[in-house]
Amino acid sequence: MLKKECLVTKQYHQYKIDEFAYAHHISKKLLKSIKLQGDILVNGNHQTVRYSLQEGEKVTFLFPQENNQILPEDIPLKIVYEDLYLMVIDKAPCIPCIPTRGHPHHTLANAISYYYQQIGLTSTVHMVNRLDKETAGLMIVAKYRYIHDLMSKRHIYRLYRAHVNGKVEQGVIDLPIYKIDKQMKRVIDERGKISKTHYQCIQYKEGISLVECQLETGRTHQIRVHMSAIGHPLVGDSLYGNGQGCFDLTSFKICFIHPVTHQLISLTKQ
């Protein structure tokens, strides 16, 4: 069970526990779960959220144990970084992140569930940056709901590499991406969400450019939609180009500030 311990400083003197929790990035929804299924201790004694804190007191939030209902499957999992709170996985291409109606089994979530089972962790699977089925490379998985909540509020530097058709220079694509009803394909449309991609060519050969794309936003299919919009769809992409469906897109580098240790974590795919 994850727990968070905080010392009450003068800054938080006479805060009620719920106010103190919100100031330490515990959401109302999560605090409700802690009240019902976990516990709140002040200097080791149970207290309600209406308790007024005094300087020097130690507050401990005991998070509720999570119930992982994703079927574990013994699938190879390449972990490139791991600590008590999160891990970074080098995802293989052509494996879905989560079970869906079309792919109910043999997903990354099934592999993570199996790994959690082996290490005795009962958490559900919390993916911070989800990748498309065909996309390979680095992605972050939070081991607990609270860590996922913290990571969702942080900027994550994401650098991708892809092979695209044609000769590309460099630039910025700032075009809104819109999802039409239940269709998988996204389109450029003023009704869409703000989406921004920086790109540059690092190699060109025989009509194909190897580009690096750095995302400011994280929309579904963002690189595929944006590169297609400027006339350079990913090689092999059948949805946004004229390929056969197998394309090369890799989450190549990822950087973020750790939500607990506050250290810079910078990882590049080997």
Side-chain angles (χ1 to χ4, degrees):
M1 178 182 289
L2 180 67
K3 67 178 180 178
K4 178 178 176 62
E5 295 183 332
C6 310
L7 189 66
V8 180
T9 64
K10 188 175 183 179
Q11 179 182 2
Y12 300 109
H13 175 56
Q14 293 187 336
Y15 264 39
K16 295 190 185 303
I17 287 178
D18 54 357
E19 298 170 320
F20 184 77
Y22 304 149
H24 285 80
H25 310 293
I26 295 176
S27 67
K28 290 184 178 181
K29 185 176 180 180
L30 182 53
L31 183 59
K32 183 178 180 180
S33 295
I34 292 172
K35 287 162 52 181
L36 296 175
Q37 300 170 299
D39 204 355
I40 302 169
L41 308 176
V42 177
N43 293 337
N45 299 312
H46 170 77
Q47 295 291 351
T48 70
V49 293
R50 305 311 299 164
Y51 177 82
S52 293
L53 295 166
Q54 303 300 314
E55 184 178 353
E57 291 183 317
K58 184 172 75 173
V59 183
T60 303
F61 296 97
L62 297 176
F63 295 87
Q65 185 168 306
E66 299 181 29
N67 181 23
N68 185 8
Q69 297 183 340
I70 296 177
L71 180 70
E73 294 184 53
D74 187 2
I75 302 168
L77 193 63
K78 187 176 180 181
I79 301 171
V80 298
Y81 173 86
E82 182 177 16
D83 59 33
L84 293 173
Y85 308 100
L86 54 83
M87 56 187 183
V88 178
I89 292 170
D90 186 352
K91 175 185 172 297
C94 299
I95 179 171
C97 278
I98 60 173
T100 61
R101 183 175 298 177
H103 297 277
H105 306 293
H106 203 75
T107 72
L108 190 62
N110 297 120
I112 294 170
S113 286
Y114 181 83
Y115 176 70
Y116 283 178
Q117 187 181 73
Q118 300 307 298
I119 64 174
L121 185 64
T122 58
S123 292
T124 55
V125 177
H126 302 284
M127 297 180 183
V128 177
N129 62 314
R130 195 181 300 175
L131 301 178
D132 294 342
K133 178 170 72 74
E134 296 84 358
T135 305
L138 305 177
M139 58 179 292
I140 307 167
V141 179
K143 290 185 176 180
Y144 302 97
R145 173 181 166 188
Y146 173 61
I147 302 301
H148 183 270
D149 286 351
L150 292 179
M151 287 298 297
S152 67
K153 298 179 177 67
R154 292 175 178 268
H155 174 71
I156 300 172
Y157 175 85
R158 292 158 293 173
L159 186 68
Y160 291 76
R161 283 187 175 180
H163 285 94
V164 303
N165 288 296
K167 189 172 184 179
V168 178
E169 299 299 333
Q170 68 176 39
V172 180
I173 307 170
D174 189 357
L175 296 171
I177 295 176
Y178 181 70
K179 182 180 186 300
I180 301 176
D181 300 326
K182 296 182 180 180
Q183 296 182 33
M184 179 184 296
K185 188 174 182 178
R186 271 62 174 173
V187 297
I188 301 299
D189 192 290
E190 62 182 9
R191 294 172 294 174
K193 295 180 180 179
I194 294 173
S195 308
K196 199 168 186 179
T197 304
H198 299 257
Y199 67 93
Q200 66 172 350
C201 179
I202 58 175
Q203 186 181 67
Y204 175 74
K205 185 178 181 180
E206 299 177 353
I208 295 175
S209 297
L210 175 60
V211 297
E212 286 189 341
C213 297
Q214 188 257 315
L215 303 183
E216 282 195 29
T217 55
R219 311 303 178 201
T220 299
H221 297 179
Q222 179 171 320
I223 292 173
R224 298 167 66 188
V225 176
H226 272 174
M227 295 309 297
S228 178
I230 63 170
H232 299 284
L234 272 63
V235 175
D237 193 346
S238 60
L239 190 60
Y240 298 100
N242 57 1
Q244 301 302 310
C246 185
F247 56 85
D248 169 33
L249 177 60
T250 302
S251 174
F252 182 71
K253 185 174 183 179
I254 200 163
C255 302
F256 59 93
I257 301 298
H258 196 287
V260 177
T261 67
H262 305 296
Q263 293 179 323
L264 173 65
I265 306 296
S266 180
L267 298 163
T268 302
K269 180 176 168 63
Q270 299 302 312

